[in-house]
Amino acid sequence: CQVGGVDLAPTVLELAGITDPHGRDGVSRAPELRGGGCRDRPVVSSTVSGRATDPPPVDHALRDKGWKYIQRAVGAPLVFDLRNDPGELHPVADNPVGALLGPALAEWIQTGAPAKLPEVDAETRQALEALGYIE
């Protein structure tokens, strides 16, 4: 089950029995820690990719449903199929999943709020399955 750092404070507060007065963006993961089922949610992360420059370039990533899309500050975006490549060693070239996740990540970064990820229609899903991108 993937979780984001944004879920840490709500989880600790719930486990401590404290009501969060600030209405944070994350969700408590206490139910998972207590043995409940995993609630998979998309996760966005950012990292400084070159600390020796001013301003440093920042890479952003979106993980969802077994895929990771990385929008690099320098260079082309990368897409990884985490089910078949959990170590992120082999980016998937020309993957249509990137075309779906890229705009969602850009919206999330711009607004600071989780973007509604696009739904894949039946025809697109069938084409992705035929190409081996999804099961």
Side-chain angles (χ1 to χ4, degrees):
C1 183
Q2 74 177 11
V3 299
V6 70
D7 298 335
L8 182 60
T11 302
V12 170
L13 289 171
E14 181 177 334
L15 291 171
I18 301 170
T19 302
D20 184 2
H22 301 290
R24 299 172 203 276
D25 289 337
V27 298
S28 172
R29 295 308 189 123
E32 284 93 338
L33 293 173
R34 293 181 181 123
C38 178
R39 294 173 292 159
D40 236 353
R41 294 173 19 129
V43 173
V44 167
S45 60
S46 301
T47 185
V48 175
S49 59
R51 298 180 195 280
T53 61
D54 188 28
V58 178
D59 293 346
H60 302 283
L62 173 61
R63 286 179 54 132
D64 186 48
K65 297 183 175 103
W67 294 95
K68 184 172 186 179
Y69 175 87
I70 301 173
Q71 179 62 57
R72 301 186 301 172
V74 177
L78 300 172
V79 178
F80 294 95
D81 177 352
L82 301 176
R83 290 168 294 215
N84 296 314
D85 181 19
E88 300 174 25
L89 301 175
H90 309 285
V92 182
D94 300 321
N95 189 301
V97 172
L100 297 172
L101 295 181
L105 175 60
E107 180 182 335
W108 199 326
I109 292 166
Q110 182 178 10
T111 65
K116 175 154 176 46
L117 296 176
E119 294 295 324
V120 177
D121 61 53
E123 183 179 338
T124 303
R125 174 170 287 286
Q126 202 170 30
L128 291 171
E129 287 173 356
L131 291 169
Y133 289 124
I134 62 174
E135 295 177 3

